[in-house]
Amino acid sequence: MQRAESGPAERIRRRRRLVGIGVAVLVLVLLGVVVAVAVTLSLRGNTRTFKETFVARCEDFNGTDCEKIWGLFEEAYVGRDPCKVPVAAYGPLIAAAPFPPKCNQRIFWSKTKAVVHDFTKKRKCFETVEDTLLGSVLDGQTWCGKEGSNETFATGCPGWTDCETSAVRSFWNGASAAFADAACGDVTVMLNGAVATPFYNKSVFATIEVPRFRSPKVRSLKVVLVTQENSLTSCENESLKDLQRKLDGGITYSCKAVPEAQINDCIPDPEKGCPVCW
Ligand code: APR
């Protein structure tokens, strides 16, 4: 009698439990599929965005075959361990978009990225590496490849300090070397007067660029030490003496402390060209 009463109720409960488990499994499977699709789309999206940014910035330089430049760029790192991209891998890219010598117009920098770029955007008479074709397409970007893959990744890549020969670091080392090789005449560098060591011996400027300034091609190096109201560092700073010592004999050295506000106010006059602001 008891078994007859509990039998159908138990069967209903068991059926409900089975239906519940089935629904839960279905939801989990669906969730997995949605996550997988979203990850795939976002990776593809990053690649597309990265290439689109590269090509759009490249097209600002009229007459450039941007698909060819993109192809040479990809060849440097695609399919490689992202930490094992030698500087030489970017050789064909740099050869296809070289830095033409521009005497008296090259400006270098260290720890002054924002102020120098604000300045060169207004004053076309000075050019940093980031104002050139290759420098501008990759400024602020991160990229890498992966062994066994022909894709470009724009996230999850090793950064500057993660490895010596990361895809990003090797590019900048190669581009900075080629840019410094093309320097001639009077060269300017903006250094930061708000830090204790404006000429930092491990910087790209110290290790890669300064050793490439050769006399007589480079006549002089002018340091513009960018100061704030309460900056403690002056042109007498010990690290600047180190810079003078490292400079090829025959290159004239000079240094001038210039308040950042004065640099920001240094606007070109279309009639007179570039004013002397320091
Ligand atoms: N970690 C992360 N990023 C770094 C690091 C680091 N340790 N060192 C350099 N970088 C990258 C960053 O993108 C940073 O904005 O290089 C940029 C410049 O670093 P700084 O120390 O400010 O300057 P420096 O190393 O001297 O490089 C600037 O190199 O790009 C060329 O011609 C350019 O003269 C300029 C010089």
Side-chain angles (χ1 to χ4, degrees):
M1 184 74 180
Q2 261 184 345
R3 280 174 73 192
E5 273 175 8
S6 66
E10 181 62 29
R11 268 204 300 281
I12 288 167
R13 267 201 297 279
R14 218 178 291 143
R15 207 172 298 143
R16 278 192 187 147
R17 228 179 288 133
L18 281 176
V19 170
I21 291 171
V23 169
V25 168
L26 200 68
V27 166
L28 279 178
V29 168
L30 280 176
L31 211 63
V33 170
V34 168
V35 168
V37 169
V39 166
T40 310
L41 283 181
S42 97
L43 283 179
R44 284 218 189 114
N46 276 334
T47 303
R48 199 164 43 235
T49 307
F50 179 81
K51 183 181 175 183
E52 274 171 10
T53 306
F54 183 105
V55 172
R57 289 181 183 180
C58 172
E59 281 169 353
D60 286 340
F61 293 78
N62 294 335
T64 311
D65 182 346
C66 294
E67 280 299 327
K68 178 183 157 200
I69 298 292
W70 169 260
L72 288 168
F73 168 65
E74 269 192 310
E75 271 172 32
Y77 60 85
V78 155
R80 288 190 198 245
D81 178 330
C83 267
K84 288 187 185 151
V85 180
V87 174
Y90 290 101
L93 172 71
I94 292 171
F99 302 100
K102 278 197 182 170
C103 297
N104 316 325
Q105 293 182 311
R106 296 286 196 231
I107 187 160
F108 295 81
W109 56 275
S110 204
K111 311 270 185 292
T112 52
K113 192 172 189 208
V115 59
V116 77
H117 289 140
D118 280 351
F119 175 73
T120 58
K121 270 192 202 93
K122 287 186 291 191
R123 299 263 318 234
K124 301 289 178 197
C125 28
F126 280 108
E127 190 181 66
T128 65
V129 69
E130 293 81 11
D131 299 308
T132 65
L133 167 63
L134 284 187
S136 81
V137 295
L138 292 164
D139 188 22
Q141 301 285 66
T142 303
W143 67 91
C144 63
K146 201 174 111 209
E147 275 176 312
S149 160
N150 61 2
E151 278 192 76
T152 292
F153 300 91
T155 52
C157 297
W160 196 277
T161 44
D162 295 321
C163 42
E164 289 278 321
T165 54
S166 70
V168 172
R169 189 162 168 170
S170 288
F171 166 77
W172 286 109
N173 285 350
S176 302
F179 186 69
D181 279 335
C184 54
D186 300 323
V187 169
T188 308
V189 62
M190 268 192 201
L191 299 181
N192 192 336
V195 299
T197 314
F199 180 69
Y200 176 54
N201 62 11
K202 295 220 163 48
S203 65
V204 171
F205 178 63
T207 57
I208 293 180
E209 297 177 327
V210 168
R212 287 179 166 79
F213 299 157
R214 311 302 306 176
S215 171
K217 196 165 86 149
V218 170
R219 190 173 38 232
S220 70
L221 176 70
K222 186 176 281 183
V223 173
V224 173
L225 190 65
V226 185
T227 58
Q228 314 292 329
E229 262 171 31
N230 51 359
S231 290
L232 296 174
T233 303
S234 73
C235 282
E236 304 309 311
N237 183 271
E238 202 48 48
S239 77
L240 297 176
K241 300 203 170 103
D242 189 27
L243 166 57
Q244 277 173 267
R245 280 192 292 273
K246 288 214 165 72
L247 217 48
D248 192 23
I251 298 179
T252 311
Y253 170 89
S254 64
C255 174
K256 186 152 185 213
V258 182
E260 186 173 337
Q262 188 177 325
I263 294 167
N264 292 337
D265 290 344
C266 181
I267 313 238
D269 177 337
E271 306 230 319
K272 295 187 196 137
C274 294
V276 180
C277 294
W278 46 72

